[in-house]
């Protein structure tokens, strides 16, 4: 079996480029084209965690599979924590004291 290294002209619709990934992760300024892609490049340069990219033969940039990105995001999902209650209000504290008496 020989490997086909011909350039790819049609990128599958389930692949994301840097700009699409940045928009999905809510990075960059939504009013400026290219800012999300720049934010992704900055994250790569600084070593921030990102989903694994794929390199297609004949394609210059990095691509990410949409399903892989969504699975990566699910791994960061945190359960909702109950908000800790702070110091009771004075009215509540007085009412608790009266109940104890």
């Amino acid at each position: 079996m020989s490997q086909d290294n011909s350039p790819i002209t049609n990128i599958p619709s389930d692949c994301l480029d840097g700009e699409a990934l940045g928009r999905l992760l809510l990075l960059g300024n939504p009013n400026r084209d290219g800012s999300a892609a720049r934010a992704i490049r900055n994250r790569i340069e600084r070593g921030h965690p990102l989903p694994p990219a794929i390199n297609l033969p004949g394609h210059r940039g990095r691509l990410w599979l949409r399903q892989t990105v969504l699975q990566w995001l699910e791994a960061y999902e945190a359960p909702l924590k109950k908000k800790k209650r702070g110091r009771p209000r004075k009215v509540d504290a007085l009412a608790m004291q009266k109940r104890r008496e």
Side-chain angles (χ1 to χ4, degrees), residues 8 10 16 35 39 43 48 56 63 65 75-76 78 87 90 97 100:
I8 296 175
N10 293 335
L16 304 171
S35 68
R43 286 179 157 266
H48 290 277
L56 295 178
L63 294 173
L65 292 173
Y76 283 94
R87 181 178 174 185
K90 216 168 197 178
Q97 277 183 349
R100 288 183 193 154

Side-chain angles (χ1 to χ4, degrees), residues 56-99:
L56 295 178
H59 188 269
R60 260 180 92 165
R62 291 181 181 91
L63 294 173
W64 288 265
L65 292 173
R66 183 180 306 272
Q67 188 61 34
T68 306
V69 172
L70 296 176
Q71 289 172 351
W72 179 80
L73 284 172
E74 286 174 1
Y76 283 94
E77 187 176 354
L80 292 176
K81 293 182 181 178
K82 228 179 180 183
K83 198 172 184 181
K84 287 187 178 179
R85 192 164 175 201
R87 181 178 174 185
R89 296 183 324 181
K90 216 168 197 178
V91 173
D92 295 336
L94 291 173
M96 284 175 41
Q97 277 183 349
K98 286 183 182 180
R99 276 189 245 146

